[in-house]
Amino acid sequence: MAAILAFFASTMGRYLIIGGLVLAAVVGIRQSGINSERRRCEAAAHQRAVEIMQRDIAIGQLQQKLDDTISAEQSEQERVDREVQEKLEAELARRPVADQCLLSEPDARRLR
């Protein structure tokens, strides 16, 4: 024990202690930089994930608007088709009974 204390008290021992402290400081600073860079990368990855989610939400909203538009157009087309069919049925009902089941060429074109 006394020999160890004598070694550390010597010039070589002091250099060894100083070298160890400098090495510990350098390793600590390096590790701090590595940890800082990891946190920066994780923050960038989280930010990217948030941006992707925001884009997905925007795409979903646009898709919903498109679906609503298509649904409205289909409803309108169904209404128009019903009106055409009702007019044709009313016109056929006014025809003589023998002609009600016979469609003329203009009748067939209107149903297309």
Side-chain angles (χ1 to χ4, degrees):
M1 184 71 161
I4 294 173
L5 289 175
F7 174 74
F8 285 124
S10 71
T11 305
M12 185 62 141
R14 283 186 290 226
Y15 287 147
L16 183 64
I17 291 172
I18 292 170
L21 291 174
V22 168
L23 180 64
V26 168
V27 168
I29 291 170
R30 180 180 176 274
Q31 192 61 38
S32 174
I34 289 171
N35 291 341
S36 173
E37 186 62 28
R38 278 191 191 139
R39 284 191 301 273
R40 198 173 308 130
C41 286
E42 288 174 3
H46 289 301
Q47 181 63 34
R48 182 76 178 137
V50 167
E51 289 171 359
I52 290 170
M53 285 182 215
Q54 288 173 340
R55 279 193 222 138
D56 288 346
I57 290 170
I59 289 170
Q61 290 171 343
L62 288 173
Q63 185 64 43
Q64 182 65 40
K65 287 180 185 176
L66 180 62
D67 291 345
D68 292 343
T69 302
I70 290 171
S71 176
E73 289 173 356
Q74 287 176 339
S75 296
E76 178 63 22
Q77 186 60 44
E78 288 174 3
R79 185 190 63 75
V80 168
D81 290 345
R82 265 194 313 276
E83 286 178 3
V84 168
Q85 183 175 351
E86 288 169 0
K87 283 181 185 178
L88 181 60
E89 288 173 359
E91 186 179 315
L92 289 175
R94 281 181 273 154
R95 290 183 184 176
V97 176
D99 292 339
Q100 286 182 1
C101 293
L102 300 175
L103 291 179
S104 64
E105 185 63 33
D107 295 335
R109 268 189 260 124
R110 286 192 332 203
L111 289 175
R112 289 185 194 153

